[in-house]
Amino acid sequence: MSRVAIIGVGFYGFQSSTPSLSFREMIFEAAQRAYEDAGGINPRTEVDAFISCQEDFWEGVAISNEFMPDQLGGALKPGFTVAGDSLQCILNAYAMIKTGAFDVVVVESHGKPSEISTIRDIVLFSFDPIYLRPLNPESIHFLNAIEARAFMDSERLSREVLGEYVVRSLRNGFSSSRAVYASNLSLDSYISADPIADPLSMYDIAPFSDASIVIVLSSEDIARRYTDDPVWISGIWSVSGTPTPPFDELSRDWIVRTAAEKAFKLSNIKNPLREINALELDERYSYIPLMVLSSLGFSKDLRKDLESGYFDRGGGMPVNPSGGALSEGNTLEVHGLARVVAAYEQLKGRAGASQIEGVEKILVHSRRWPGLRTTTVAILSR
C-alpha cells in the first residue's frame, strides 16, 4: 500500500474573536493557503474527496457539513463528516488513501466558539445522561478537575509542578503567530490564582479561540509531483474510553498508551525514547501533557524533568516547542489539526524561532473535548 503524505497546510484565525468573517469565509481563507502550500493543486480537478471534522452542536444547525463543499472547491465531489476531533479526520483520510481508491483527500476543521452563547449547555449535554448530567455541576470542568486530582495524587505532584509546565508553555507561544494567548506569566501569579475547579485555575484551562485549518493529504506518487519534501504519516491510531469516565482509571491514561502502541507498531518504532524527537501534545488542560508523558514512559520523574529543561526546545524531549493550546486557545474540533500544523512546520524546517535542529519524527496527540477521552496518536516524519 502507498505511503500517505501531508503536502499542504493552511490556517486562518487563532484569535479570541473573528467578527469580520463567517466560518465559511474562514474555511475559504485556510483552503487558499493550503492549496498554495500544496504546489497550487486544483481542488476541482485534482482532489478526490473532502472530509470535514465538526460537530452540529457547535454549529447550531443540523447536517452542518452541507456548508462545507463550496468554499473548499469541493462541489459535486465526495464529501464526508467526522463528528470528532480533527486528528480523527486525518486518520480517516489516511485510511481512505491506503485503500488505493483515493489519491488526494482534503481535510478541514473549523471552530468559532466566540459566536456560541450556550457552551455550558452543549458541554453538559455531552455528559452521561444517567450518572453525570443530572449533577448539573457548577463548573463544566469538574470531570477534568477530578482526573487532574487523581493523577496528581498518584504522581505526588504539587500545583507548583503544574505551574512550571504552564509558565514554560505560555512562554514558548511567543515564537508562534497562532499563540494569541502567549505570556510571561510568573510562577507566583500562577500559584496565587483562585481555583475554578480545584486543582485547576484559569491558567490551567485553555481559553477559547476561533480558527480554521485545511490540510491536503496524498498518496506517495502524487506527493512526489507537488513537493520534494513531503511530511509522512507513518502511523496513526485512535482509541475511545468508557462513556462514563468516573468508571474508568483516572490516575493513568491507558487510552493514550494503547493508541500510541498501535501507532508505534505501524511506524515500526521499537524504542520511542530514542526514535521520537519531539512531542505535540493536547494541553487544553495543563495536567494532560504531563499525564501523557508519564503514561507513555517519556518521563519517570516529571518534577525533575521540568526543572532540568528536558521538555524545552533544547532539551532531550521537546514538548509543544511553539506553544500548545494554552497559548493558542481551545479551538474545539480544530485542535488536532493545530498540533499537526505545528509538527508539519518543524519537519519542513519552517518553525522559525522554535525550530528544533535535526528533528525527524514527531508524535502528535489529541484528545476530544469535552466528554469522552477519545484519543488519537499519529507519528509524523520526514
Side-chain angles (χ1 to χ4, degrees):
M1 290 187 285
S2 169
R3 291 199 291 171
V4 178
I6 296 174
I7 61 172
V9 306
F11 61 86
Y12 183 86
F14 288 93
Q15 300 168 31
S16 59
S17 169
T18 50
S20 60
L21 268 68
S22 70
F23 75 85
R24 281 174 282 185
E25 291 168 321
M26 289 172 61
I27 296 172
F28 177 79
E29 292 291 339
Q32 297 306 300
R33 291 162 171 78
Y35 298 149
E36 184 64 25
D37 190 41
I41 196 167
N42 186 335
R44 294 180 178 83
T45 58
E46 297 172 282
V47 175
D48 299 315
F50 298 80
I51 308 178
S52 180
C53 248
Q54 55 181 313
E55 171 59 67
D56 285 358
F57 285 104
W58 297 133
E59 305 298 330
V61 296
I63 319 177
S64 56
N65 64 315
E66 66 181 341
F67 298 107
M68 178 260 289
D70 290 343
Q71 51 271 17
L72 286 173
L76 302 179
K77 289 288 189 77
F80 309 86
T81 296
V82 175
D85 180 86
S86 50
L87 197 53
Q88 294 173 265
C89 254
I90 294 290
L91 187 154
N92 278 264
Y94 171 90
M96 289 165 65
I97 293 171
K98 280 287 190 182
T99 66
F102 301 86
D103 278 319
V104 183
V105 179
V106 167
V107 168
E108 82 85 18
S109 188
H110 59 274
K112 219 164 186 290
S114 66
E115 294 185 353
I116 302 173
S117 60
T118 56
I119 282 184
R120 173 183 168 80
D121 295 332
I122 296 172
V123 172
L124 290 180
F125 200 70
S126 73
F127 290 160
D128 179 293
I130 297 174
Y131 297 103
L132 297 179
R133 201 183 307 159
L135 298 175
N136 192 25
E138 180 178 342
S139 171
I140 60 174
H141 306 291
F142 85 105
L143 268 181
N144 293 93
I146 293 171
E147 185 180 52
R149 177 57 69 193
F151 169 64
M152 291 169 69
D153 288 349
S154 172
E155 292 282 327
R156 298 181 180 178
L157 298 179
S158 64
R159 284 205 71 242
E160 282 79 1
V161 176
L162 287 189
E164 289 279 359
Y165 179 83
V166 171
V167 167
R168 168 196 156 285
S169 188
L170 289 176
R171 197 170 296 149
N172 280 353
F174 282 120
S175 63
S176 170
S177 62
R178 295 183 296 278
V180 66
Y181 297 110
S183 76
N184 268 321
L185 177 72
S186 70
L187 186 58
D188 288 342
S189 296
Y190 172 87
I191 296 297
S192 62
D194 292 331
I196 290 177
D198 188 66
L200 305 176
S201 74
M202 61 179 287
Y203 296 121
D204 295 295
I205 304 169
F208 289 113
S209 183
D210 293 354
S212 174
I213 295 179
V214 174
I215 292 182
V216 184
L217 298 94
S218 80
S219 62
E220 183 168 6
D221 288 344
I222 299 297
R224 298 296 186 193
R225 294 184 199 169
Y226 289 96
T227 178
D228 294 329
D229 56 347
V231 169
W232 304 105
I233 302 173
S234 52
I236 184 168
W237 202 270
S238 187
V239 177
S240 292
T242 70
T244 306
F247 291 166
D248 215 337
E249 168 62 58
L250 294 182
S251 62
R252 281 284 180 276
D253 193 344
W254 66 268
I255 300 170
V256 72
R257 192 166 60 243
T258 305
E261 286 172 355
K262 293 289 188 181
F264 292 152
K265 185 176 181 180
L266 286 171
S267 306
N268 198 28
I269 289 177
K270 308 294 186 188
N271 188 334
L273 273 173
R274 290 188 176 182
E275 297 177 60
I276 299 292
N277 306 123
L279 307 168
E280 283 292 336
L281 304 181
D282 191 323
E283 63 173 33
R284 279 176 277 194
Y285 294 93
S286 61
Y287 71 93
I288 290 180
L290 300 178
M291 198 173 190
V292 172
L293 289 165
S294 175
S295 299
L296 295 187
F298 284 106
S299 175
K300 295 188 182 303
D301 188 330
L302 290 166
R303 177 190 293 276
K304 180 181 176 183
D305 287 339
L306 277 167
E307 290 176 350
S308 68
Y310 183 66
F311 304 130
D312 293 348
R313 284 177 202 139
M317 186 57 70
V319 176
N320 294 354
S322 58
L326 290 173
S327 53
E328 291 177 355
N330 180 350
T331 53
L332 304 179
E333 315 299 359
V334 183
H335 177 265
L337 292 190
R339 304 276 56 79
V340 171
V341 169
Y344 176 88
E345 290 175 338
Q346 283 287 344
L347 293 166
K348 298 277 278 188
R350 299 181 188 170
S354 63
Q355 185 65 49
I356 301 167
E357 293 299 322
V359 64
E360 295 287 340
K361 291 181 181 176
I362 299 178
L363 181 150
V364 177
H365 156 263
S366 193
R367 174 203 268 202
R368 198 181 188 202
W369 182 88
L372 301 177
R373 297 200 293 175
T374 299
T375 296
T376 307
V377 172
I379 308 299
L380 271 55
S381 62
R382 65 178 178 185

